[in-house]
Amino acid sequence: MGLFSNRKTVFVDSDILVVGGGMAGCGATYESRYWGRDLKVVCVEKANIERSGAVAQGLYAINCYMGMQWDENQPEDHVRYARNDLMGLVREDLGYDIARHVDSSVHQFEEWGLPIMKDPETGRYLREGKWQIMIHGESYKPIVAEAARKAASEVYNRIMVTHLLMDEAKPNRVAGAVGFNVRTGDFYVFRAKAVIVCAGGASHIYKPRAVGEGMGRTWYAPWSSASAYALPILVGAKMTQRENRITLTRFKDGYGPVGAYFLHLKTYTENAYGEEYESKWYDHTKELVGDYIDRQPVPTCLRNHAFLEETKAGRGPIRMVTKEAFQDPHKEQVGWENFLGMTIGQAIVWASQNIDPKHVNPELTTSEPYVMGSHATCSGAWASGPSDYAPSDYQWGYNRMMTVDGLFGAGDTIGGTAHKFSSGSYTEGRIAAKAAVNYVNDMENDKFQVSEKQYQDLKKTIFQPLENYQVGRNEIVAGTVSPSYILPLSGLQRLEKIMDEYCGGISANYITNEPMLTRGLELLDMLKEDLEHLAAEDLHQLQRAWELQHRVLASESVTHHTMFRTETRWPGYYYRADHPKLDDTDWHCFTLSQYDQESGEWTMEKAPVYHIVD
Ligand SMILES: Cc1cc2nc3c(=O)[nH]c(=O)nc-3n(C[C@H](O)[C@H](O)[C@H](O)COP(=O)(O)OP(=O)(O)OC[C@H]3O[C@@H](n4cnc5c(N)ncnc54)[C@H](O)[C@@H]3O)c2cc1C
């Protein structure tokens, strides 16, 4: 028994456990109750579901809405769109499944009180773009959370889930999760028949552009700490497309999104000399990726590529031309409101740097890479598809079940399905929940089996950083550096540096190659050795310690996948300098990995891509 593991243990048994109460988690909680009236549904969240996850600040647009009631788009159109943007590689079965259900989720949001802007001429939802509708979304998350709160048997806020529990009676079956309350320090054992992981994406894997006084400012939520990936990876669930990290063009220093500016305000970009630059890079890009450059809309990564090449040619900074649009008072108002309802930091940065977009064209930059499965990239867990639509290679059980029995996922967690965004993540949570209810019902009286040893061992491991601190601090005479421990912030900065320099971050201009990745993996191994000596001075730091553990494991998976895919499929997201071209002959496929906790080894394989939609 460790010095700090003698803490109160709270047991919570349920039928369905939802880990993470963001958009997907709220959808999963709501729908579990809908189909499982008599089931015990528990949602556990490390913050408070009222304002947690990537939508915590609110949003200005719902980015995934078909508009089938007005025949604006059909699900097949969305599959084509996502496939094009991801240069051919998406799980069409999963994407179609979300697209056919997403409108009903949006209608629920409106019924619950979310103000959706209307086109005064047509009475339809006001479109920002082909897939986006505009909302007054500051309270988007509280509205969605209220539905989940009312649906759940219990919601446990402020509990960081650190590990999943496995059933000891049945191999490869999940049996719950453990974690600790970040306020009281109580240890929680959640035993459940089915677990739905909805713990968001990953920021702070790579060194951010905003360091020093700006540290913590990122585009994706800084609290998205890769638990969605580390939890399933640790128990051997297969992952897919982890190399498909995202880099975004954003307003400089505040990471303000550009979507509303391009789509609604019709602003455009130019180089430092006022020139259009994307067309200059057409021939060069065609050499690398072939016909993908001729597709409409041009894949996001290729637009990034032109931006990066123009900057490397010395004609930066690239600016967004706002001066024209902002002369229209309505557009000026929309331009500011867009940030005030979603990314307040960008409005503050502009105010503090004397940038009034009506008079100055603001600078853009490309962000550090993030790892996620709900935005414009496909990184996540490999999941079974819908029984009425998925090819047999993609079906091994229940919809959205990973390769571990009883373990489901949604939103950023699930790979292969880019462009689901907030509404699609919520919808995927609903889809996963319906399948999880079926799984639980099919289990009938079959109960999970978790030995005391399993959770007591985890309890000791979880609280070990508190002990490391209490013992190690006695060796310090001044300052904070101890000869025997490493603090979470130091570990985080070391991780970000490794990923940045060796796995295609901003300092390396997103470039990497096999020798660099090999060295990156060696350094990650050394970091992992040191993580055994992580120290936490309080519960807050203990949370940081476990977030770091999750980020490191997720980073390792990204690096292995990047090494495995010997081509550059998405220039503008990252470059394999030793394989600079897209290679559809060998790499028109998904990459899959599996981690073995015992040996620490990763196994890589390819999986076929099926084009179901013509
Ligand atoms: C700046 C920004 C702008 C965006 N703009 C738009 C937009 O305009 N329109 C749109 O539709 N979408 C937008 N998105 C995308 C949208 O927010 C995401 O697609 C969506 O939130 C993903 O849902 P999720 O449930 O997977 O993750 P999240 O909503 O992030 O939820 C994850 C949850 O898991 C919790 N969690 C994490 N780890 C643990 C753990 N170990 N234990 C317990 N709980 C944990 C988190 O606290 C969080 O509540 C934007 C995102 C960002 C960051």
Side-chain angles (χ1 to χ4, degrees), residues 138-202:
E138 189 277 339
S139 298
Y140 189 8
K141 187 66 208 303
I143 289 169
V144 171
E146 185 184 345
R149 223 178 33 239
K150 287 177 175 161
S153 309
E154 286 152 16
V155 174
Y156 289 86
N157 287 314
R158 305 283 171 209
I159 293 173
M160 163 99 197
V161 171
T162 55
H163 301 78
L164 296 175
L165 290 168
M166 293 304 279
D167 195 329
E168 279 154 276
K170 289 242 166 78
N172 195 40
R173 186 167 89 182
V174 77
V178 294
F180 64 97
N181 186 304
V182 300
R183 296 279 162 85
T184 65
D186 290 344
F187 175 63
Y188 276 77
V189 179
F190 295 96
R191 289 172 299 207
K193 291 181 175 172
V195 177
I196 310 177
V197 174
C198 303

Side-chain angles (χ1 to χ4, degrees), residues 20-151:
M23 286 307 290
C26 286
T29 306
Y30 175 85
E31 198 78 4
S32 294
R33 171 61 64 234
Y34 184 86
W35 296 103
R37 293 278 152 192
D38 302 327
L39 298 185
K40 183 166 179 194
V41 180
V42 167
C43 176
V44 52
E45 160 62 47
K46 74 174 175 178
N48 185 315
I49 66 166
E50 196 73 8
R51 282 268 174 208
S52 69
V55 179
Q57 265 190 82
L59 293 179
Y60 202 63
I62 286 178
N63 282 356
C64 184
Y65 180 74
M66 303 298 115
M68 283 187 274
Q69 59 175 322
W70 300 303
D71 201 19
E72 291 176 331
N73 298 291
Q74 294 304 321
E76 291 85 351
D77 301 327
H78 195 259
V79 172
R80 289 185 195 103
Y81 163 67
R83 180 174 66 200
N84 178 54
D85 199 47
L86 273 297
M87 319 278 278
L89 309 188
V90 287
R91 278 282 301 270
E92 297 186 13
D93 58 322
L94 301 181
Y96 178 85
D97 199 21
I98 292 169
R100 66 179 163 178
H101 293 300
V102 71
D103 284 9
S104 67
S105 298
V106 174
H107 301 158
Q108 281 184 337
F109 301 155
E110 188 173 37
E111 203 180 300
W112 297 336
L114 179 71
I116 304 184
M117 295 185 207
K118 301 276 165 38
D119 184 324
E121 310 259 294
T122 62
R124 299 177 182 179
Y125 295 152
L126 184 63
R127 284 276 178 198
E128 184 185 273
K130 188 169 167 58
W131 306 105
Q132 301 82 352
I133 54 171
M134 299 179 72
I135 58 174
H136 293 288
E138 189 277 339
S139 298
Y140 189 8
K141 187 66 208 303
I143 289 169
V144 171
E146 185 184 345
R149 223 178 33 239
K150 287 177 175 161

Side-chain angles (χ1 to χ4, degrees), residues 19-25 44-49 52-55 58-64 140-141 159-162 198-201 219-221 223-228 231 250 255 257 342-343 374-375 410-413 420-423 425-426 550:
V19 177
M23 286 307 290
V44 52
E45 160 62 47
K46 74 174 175 178
N48 185 315
I49 66 166
S52 69
V55 179
L59 293 179
Y60 202 63
I62 286 178
N63 282 356
C64 184
Y140 189 8
K141 187 66 208 303
I159 293 173
M160 163 99 197
V161 171
T162 55
C198 303
W219 167 74
Y220 215 57
W223 47 83
S224 297
S225 54
S227 301
L231 294 171
R250 288 291 177 262
Y255 292 92
M342 176 175 62
T343 314
S374 77
H375 209 271
D412 278 323
T413 308
K420 47 197 169 197
F421 296 100
S422 62
S423 47
S425 296
Y426 178 90
H550 289 178

